Amino acid sequence: MVETETIVDPQPSKEEEAANGNEEQMPDVQKPSDDSDSDSDSEDETQAKAQTEALELELYNNPSNYDAYVQYIKLLRKQGDIDKLRQAREAMSALFPLSPEMWREWAKDETTMCSGEDAFPAVEKLYERGLSDYMSVALWCDYLNFVQEYDASVRECSALGISKARDLFERAITAAGLHVAEGGNIWELYREFEQAIFLTIEETDSEAREKQIQRIRNLFHRQLSVPLVDMTSTLLTYKAWEADQGATVDVNSSNCDGLPSHFVSAYHKALGMLNARADFEEKISKKDVDNAERLQEFMTYLKFEQSSGDPARVNILYERAITEFPISSDLWLDYTRYLDKTFKASKIVRDVYNRATRNCPWVGDLWVCYLLCLERCHSSEEELSSVFEKSLQCTFSSFDEYLNVFLTRVDELRRRISASTQVEDGMDYAVIRDIFQRASDYLSPHLKNTDSFLRMHSYWARLESKLGKNMIAARGVWESLLKISGSMLEAWQGYIAMEIEMGHINEARSLYKRCYSKRFAGTGSEEICHLWVRFEREYGSLEDFDLAVQKVTPRLQELQLFKLQQQNQTVSAPTDERENLVGKNVKEKRKPVLSSLDKQSPAKRRKDLDQQNNKAYGNDKGKGRHLAEANEIAQVHDSKEDSTSTKETKNHSPIKPVIYNDQCTAFISNLSLQATEKDLRSFFSDVGGVVAIRILTDKDKRPRGLAYVDFSDDAHLAAAVEKNKQSLLGKRLSIARSDPQRGRGKKPAGRSTKFDRGTADNRRSNAGELESQVSVETSKGGRGPQPHSASQERGDDVQLIGKNTFAMPRNVRALGFPSRNKAQSEEAKEVEDENPKSNDEFRKMFLKG
């Protein structure tokens, strides 16, 4: 704490005034001034007024500015503004513990400004408040002198006054009498008080005089049995006093000849203790060393005292350290831990926790231990609630500290409600529910998707079901958590575990059905599938088990494919190799193998598709992808066939990225050529659920202004489609649900060809033709999406369309297409809508010609 200046005597004599002309005076004492100093005084007053206004403004804007309060109080004392000075001190005391020097100034100022017996209780109360903040021998001495001087009953040595004074002295001895360096001052005041009482006893009352002499002797013995500085000087004073009482002792010698043996033994023991502590006292009393070094010396001294096993001496030393380092959180934590272990539940411990939280309100652990201490002391619900609310008004270093405070309060309420036989006032479960709700509302933006936040909701749900007897409310807790942290596998597992523990198997099964298709971090997606199968094995019927296997098998296959896709993104085949691979198999693609598939059964169709793909691609890297697509078209759910497909997929990596989920894919057109995958993820961040993004490029890796975005489920896809026509990088995007089946629509009568069927079955193998009927591109001039043919799209490049269309150079128009410059008639439009002709049809046309 910042030290403040000490006020001089309120009514100094002329000699003192001359000697101390530069010292501060009380407001009611004015120094004489002459006319020559009037201008200087006026400037000083103006400057002081400006400083006062600046400090008042600062405290208005920042009431927790400790240093500003200290400077403000100093300035008001100089100006003599009594009312403002009182208000400032009260305001500061309400926020901070004041240093012993500030309490001494305040008490002395009030003593000077308030005369009469009516002012005594107010000043006495100030001393008591000051002693509750820090242990200070100087403040105790001021308090003791004030009581002896201003308390009429003590001043008159009445029985009541003497009893009151002795009680106060004993309190001072207990609080600070063991202070090695300064404790002797309190013992000396105590002896002087008792000696003053002895002088008031009549000489004729020998019994009372003898009793008082014995009281004074006991005080000497008590003081000399405690290790304090200047013990030798105190021993000489004691021997001189004994000589006055008629004892035969050598008053000039420091030996103990002629003194009682029990006293001599205690004295030598105390002297040995003092010598053992002399080095520690010297180190902590150094003022020219760094504070961190001094604090470390205190901690070393404390360890020594703790090893000695005297709790009173350890407590005094902690208080001395706290007074020197009041905002050291480590020191307060160490002090309170020692008290918890030594004194358990007591008023001493509770008071120390109160002071600790006033000095270091930003330490959450202190508030937690304070609440536990109040519970051990069986404090009232009102006091516990008050401390809890105060803790929430503090600023902690982390939100986990707030959570710890919330849970400590819940723990206390749970224990009290469980142990009580009858409901206390305000002690029902609704209080716990309210605290949990406040914690969730406050912490959810900061702790969502964390284990600590999950544990809090798990605890909450369990109390709702067990203590609150409300299963609906317990489920509501989990549902609220899923809205906040639904991407955490542990949240679903906790919810399911509660349902299983309560015996609600059907509800647990429903939760598995809700979450098995969700994407979780790491291997969580696979783990939840396996957990569902295990759950059905242990709790479900055979039908339930078969259904779970039927559901999770394609899901696991899908996850495996996606995993392989991610692994092979950095090891993808060169573009030329892919083009050569496609050209190598063009003839096989053109074979009319699928012409008879319409007449085949689904099982036969699937078998033929597998054989066709195996033949076309052999053992190349694209085999796994085409097998997966064939399985998806045939909608195979048999577990044996699915496992076979998974095995094949592991052996063959895809050439091109596979489509994650056709049913949950958005098709993006009019995309800026500068747009990246990061830009699209940012664009759909408010929608969420983005699984994969594919920006289409030509063979030279130049963007085409088209993209596909895969979403985890249909709900996220629907939300993404709602963003249609919104702008990204200056382009208004066209967003539509991807529908690969649109290329399989009905053809004009008489135009159904092998080309149509072949193209429809092969669309999914090329991401560039998934939207064959709505292909668009963004021109360099910034025009919107426009229809285009294959030759218009590629320019000089060559493009393969479907399975039966041959390559067409840019400057050669296919037969059957009208000229660009010729007006389009209805017949020309019909011809332009037709599909390109196959090789066989062209041969027949040339033969006829």
Side-chain angles (χ1 to χ4, degrees):
M1 297 291 181
V2 179
E3 295 186 359
T4 59
E5 56 188 354
T6 304
I7 194 170
V8 299
D9 293 338
Q11 295 179 346
S13 62
K14 293 182 179 180
E15 291 78 12
E16 290 172 335
E17 209 172 84
N20 303 313
N22 295 327
E23 293 189 11
E24 181 185 5
Q25 304 297 321
M26 283 302 299
D28 57 333
V29 178
Q30 301 291 335
K31 292 183 179 180
S33 60
D34 50 31
D35 295 338
S36 62
D37 297 332
S38 59
D39 293 338
S40 176
D41 293 341
S42 178
E43 291 178 0
D44 291 342
E45 290 178 2
T46 304
Q47 183 178 4
K49 184 177 179 181
Q51 292 177 354
T52 303
E53 292 176 351
L55 288 171
E56 287 175 349
L57 180 61
E58 169 62 23
L59 292 174
Y60 177 80
N61 295 326
N62 185 12
S64 59
N65 190 332
Y66 182 90
D67 294 332
Y69 266 116
V70 173
Q71 297 300 323
Y72 185 49
I73 290 173
K74 279 185 176 181
L75 198 57
L76 291 176
R77 288 190 76 227
K78 290 180 179 179
Q79 295 175 357
D81 195 333
I82 298 174
D83 293 335
K84 281 190 175 182
L85 181 60
R86 282 199 185 108
Q87 293 175 4
R89 282 168 166 165
E90 290 291 349
M92 185 177 182
S93 177
L95 295 174
F96 309 102
L98 305 185
S99 66
E101 291 77 13
M102 295 184 73
W103 282 111
R104 293 180 69 191
E105 286 180 353
W106 192 355
K108 288 181 179 179
D109 289 350
E110 292 293 339
T111 302
T112 302
M113 291 183 292
C114 302
S115 59
E117 295 183 359
D118 295 338
F120 176 80
V123 179
E124 187 178 35
K125 186 177 180 180
L126 279 180
Y127 276 114
E128 291 289 346
R129 289 170 59 185
L131 293 171
S132 66
D133 278 349
Y134 301 107
M135 189 272 292
S136 170
V137 172
L139 187 59
W140 269 112
C141 291
D142 287 350
Y143 187 19
L144 293 169
N145 288 327
F146 169 77
V147 170
Q148 292 182 75
E149 182 178 357
Y150 290 96
D151 191 324
S153 61
V154 176
R155 187 172 60 248
E156 295 171 0
C157 293
S158 66
L160 185 62
I162 293 174
S163 176
K164 176 181 178 180
R166 284 173 177 167
D167 290 342
L168 190 61
F169 274 114
E170 289 296 334
R171 281 182 56 199
I173 291 295
T174 303
L178 298 181
H179 193 302
V180 175
E182 301 176 6
N185 297 334
I186 298 177
W187 288 100
E188 185 176 355
L189 284 177
Y190 198 177
R191 286 188 286 105
E192 290 175 355
F193 173 74
E194 294 294 348
Q195 288 173 350
I197 294 176
F198 176 79
L199 297 177
T200 63
I201 301 175
E202 296 290 339
E203 293 183 0
T204 56
D205 193 351
S206 58
E207 182 179 355
R209 290 175 66 87
E210 185 61 31
K211 185 177 180 180
Q212 188 63 22
I213 290 174
Q214 189 60 37
R215 188 183 295 276
I216 297 171
R217 182 178 288 115
N218 288 339
L219 276 178
F220 273 117
H221 288 183
R222 287 174 62 189
Q223 180 180 357
L224 291 171
S225 65
V226 176
L228 302 171
V229 296
D230 295 333
M231 289 187 67
T232 303
S233 175
T234 304
L235 176 63
L236 294 176
T237 302
Y238 170 50
K239 293 174 71 174
W241 180 83
E242 286 286 4
D244 291 341
Q245 308 308 316
T248 304
V249 291
D250 185 0
V251 296
N252 297 320
S253 173
S254 59
N255 58 42
C256 298
D257 297 340
L259 298 176
S261 59
H262 67 278
F263 164 76
V264 174
S265 175
Y267 172 75
H268 284 300
K269 181 180 179 181
L271 195 60
M273 294 173 65
L274 177 63
N275 292 334
R277 289 159 176 78
D279 185 53
F280 294 111
E281 290 290 334
E282 181 181 359
K283 289 179 179 179
I284 66 174
S285 62
K286 292 180 179 179
K287 302 296 183 181
D288 56 345
V289 298
D290 183 69
N291 284 336
E293 184 179 347
R294 285 191 65 212
L295 178 59
Q296 186 58 44
E297 295 296 342
F298 264 109
M299 300 305 293
T300 305
Y301 194 178
L302 283 166
K303 289 181 179 179
F304 170 78
E305 287 291 3
Q306 290 175 8
S307 64
S308 301
D310 188 346
R313 300 198 60 81
V314 175
N315 186 58
I316 288 290
L317 188 55
Y318 267 119
E319 289 294 340
R320 292 175 62 185
I322 288 299
T323 304
E324 295 287 338
F325 305 97
I327 57 174
S328 172
S329 57
D330 292 337
L331 182 59
W332 279 110
L333 287 169
D334 194 63
Y335 186 16
T336 53
R337 280 194 292 264
Y338 173 78
L339 293 178
D340 283 333
K341 180 177 65 175
T342 306
F343 296 99
K344 303 296 181 183
S346 66
K347 186 178 182 299
I348 295 176
V349 183
R350 184 172 59 184
D351 292 343
V352 170
Y353 271 117
N354 181 39
R355 294 163 54 207
T357 52
R358 278 173 55 81
N359 281 273
C360 300
W362 59 87
V363 182
D365 287 344
L366 286 174
W367 289 101
V368 168
C369 294
Y370 190 9
L371 290 171
L372 292 173
C373 175
L374 292 176
E375 184 181 0
R376 294 188 191 101
C377 295
H378 306 286
S379 300
S380 65
E381 174 62 21
E382 181 180 358
E383 184 176 3
L384 279 160
S385 178
S386 175
V387 172
F388 171 67
E389 294 298 335
K390 286 180 181 178
S391 67
L392 297 183
Q393 297 173 7
C394 301
T395 303
F396 299 149
S397 59
S398 70
F399 289 98
D400 282 323
E401 291 186 87
Y402 286 102
L403 178 59
N404 200 13
V405 172
F406 275 113
L407 293 181
T408 303
R409 174 63 170 151
V410 169
D411 296 341
E412 179 270 327
L413 289 170
R414 175 187 59 79
R415 287 189 286 261
R416 184 170 295 193
I417 292 175
S418 300
S420 61
T421 55
Q422 58 183 4
V423 180
E424 302 178 23
D425 294 338
M427 286 294 297
D428 57 0
Y429 182 74
V431 180
I432 294 180
R433 181 182 292 120
D434 177 67
I435 293 174
F436 270 125
Q437 189 61 58
R438 290 173 62 188
S440 179
D441 293 342
Y442 178 67
L443 299 175
S444 58
H446 314 286
L447 295 182
K448 65 178 181 179
N449 298 330
T450 61
D451 291 338
S452 57
F453 196 62
L454 171 62
R455 287 194 297 270
M456 186 197 79
H457 278 79
S458 178
Y459 186 19
W460 184 4
R462 184 167 62 82
L463 292 186
E464 288 285 359
S465 61
K466 300 291 186 181
L467 198 61
K469 309 297 182 184
N470 190 339
M471 195 62 195
I472 296 176
R475 292 193 178 103
V477 171
W478 283 112
E479 292 293 342
S480 65
L481 175 63
L482 293 181
K483 292 180 181 178
I484 301 171
S485 306
S487 60
M488 285 187 68
L489 174 63
E490 294 80 1
W492 290 95
Q493 287 178 313
Y495 194 177
I496 293 170
M498 184 197 73
E499 295 289 3
I500 295 176
E501 181 183 357
M502 302 299 294
H504 302 151
I505 303 303
N506 291 332
E507 286 76 4
R509 181 176 294 113
S510 298
L511 289 173
Y512 273 119
K513 291 180 180 179
R514 286 172 57 188
C515 69
Y516 86 95
S517 61
K518 293 184 176 293
R519 293 197 62 83
F520 299 106
T523 60
S525 300
E526 292 89 343
E527 184 178 351
I528 196 65
C529 293
H530 295 305
L531 288 175
W532 186 12
V533 175
R534 179 180 176 183
F535 165 79
E536 295 296 356
R537 178 183 293 117
E538 297 177 359
Y539 296 97
S541 63
L542 181 58
E543 292 76 10
D544 296 326
F545 177 78
D546 290 341
L547 178 62
V549 172
Q550 182 182 3
K551 292 285 187 182
V552 303
T553 302
R555 172 62 174 162
L556 290 172
Q557 181 181 7
E558 183 183 27
L559 292 170
Q560 183 64 25
L561 288 173
F562 182 71
K563 182 178 179 181
L564 291 173
Q565 169 195 343
Q566 298 299 318
Q567 291 175 352
N568 288 278
Q569 281 183 347
T570 57
V571 198
S572 60
T575 304
D576 294 340
E577 293 182 8
R578 293 202 297 270
E579 291 179 351
N580 293 336
L581 179 62
V582 173
K584 182 180 178 180
N585 296 295
V586 165
K587 292 184 180 181
E588 292 186 10
K589 287 184 179 181
R590 291 179 180 175
K591 291 182 180 180
V593 176
L594 300 178
S595 59
S596 60
L597 284 180
D598 293 336
K599 301 179 181 180
Q600 296 177 351
S601 63
K604 178 64 175 175
R605 184 183 304 171
R606 179 184 180 277
K607 180 178 180 182
D608 291 342
L609 282 171
D610 289 346
Q611 293 174 354
Q612 177 71 13
N613 286 317
N614 289 336
K615 184 177 180 181
Y617 295 94
N619 292 325
D620 59 56
K621 294 183 179 181
K623 180 178 178 180
R625 187 182 117 208
H626 290 281
L627 284 175
E629 293 174 357
N631 291 339
E632 183 181 357
I633 295 172
Q635 297 182 353
V636 177
H637 299 294
D638 182 73
S639 60
K640 181 177 180 179
E641 293 173 348
D642 287 335
S643 62
T644 303
S645 176
T646 304
K647 182 177 180 181
E648 293 174 348
T649 302
K650 291 181 180 178
N651 296 329
H652 305 285
S653 302
I655 296 175
K656 296 181 180 180
V658 299
I659 299 173
Y660 183 77
N661 188 343
D662 286 339
Q663 302 302 322
C664 299
T665 301
F667 176 67
I668 316 296
S669 61
N670 198 34
L671 182 66
S672 173
L673 300 183
Q674 285 76 35
T676 63
E677 180 178 338
K678 183 178 180 181
D679 295 328
L680 284 173
R681 285 191 181 276
S682 177
F683 181 74
F684 289 112
S685 61
D686 57 335
V687 173
V690 175
V691 175
I693 296 176
R694 301 180 300 286
I695 298 178
L696 305 188
T697 60
D698 57 21
K699 71 173 186 179
D700 295 324
K701 302 299 182 182
R702 294 175 298 190
R704 297 173 55 189
L706 308 174
Y708 287 97
V709 180
D710 296 329
F711 293 91
S712 58
D713 51 44
D714 192 68
H716 289 95
L717 174 59
V721 174
E722 292 294 328
K723 294 175 72 68
N724 186 32
K725 301 303 180 183
Q726 293 189 20
S727 297
L728 174 64
L729 300 180
K731 291 283 189 177
R732 295 185 64 186
L733 302 185
S734 177
I735 307 173
R737 183 186 295 270
S738 177
D739 187 3
Q741 304 300 325
R742 282 188 294 185
R744 305 182 185 182
K746 292 183 178 180
K747 299 294 178 181
R751 299 300 298 172
S752 178
T753 65
K754 293 179 288 185
F755 164 78
D756 299 324
R757 292 190 295 273
T759 303
D761 285 327
N762 200 45
R763 287 279 167 83
R764 199 171 298 177
S765 65
N766 190 333
E769 277 73 45
L770 275 172
E771 305 294 328
S772 59
Q773 300 298 323
V774 289
S775 297
V776 296
E777 71 175 346
T778 304
S779 64
K780 295 181 179 179
R783 292 177 296 173
Q786 299 179 9
H788 58 280
S789 65
S791 60
Q792 288 172 331
E793 177 186 357
R794 292 286 187 172
D796 294 332
D797 297 333
V798 177
Q799 181 182 14
L800 295 178
I801 301 178
K803 291 186 176 180
N804 302 321
T805 304
F806 67 111
M808 294 184 294
R810 178 172 60 87
N811 296 326
V812 179
R813 299 288 293 175
L815 293 180
F817 284 79
S819 174
R820 290 185 184 178
N821 299 326
K822 183 178 180 180
Q824 294 198 359
S825 62
E826 293 295 325
E827 296 176 359
K829 290 182 180 179
E830 272 186 32
V831 175
E832 197 168 28
D833 289 338
E834 293 179 358
N835 290 312
K837 295 177 174 55
S838 66
N839 293 344
D840 292 338
E841 290 173 321
F842 274 109
R843 290 192 190 97
K844 292 177 182 180
M845 291 172 62
F846 283 116
L847 290 175
K848 290 179 181 180

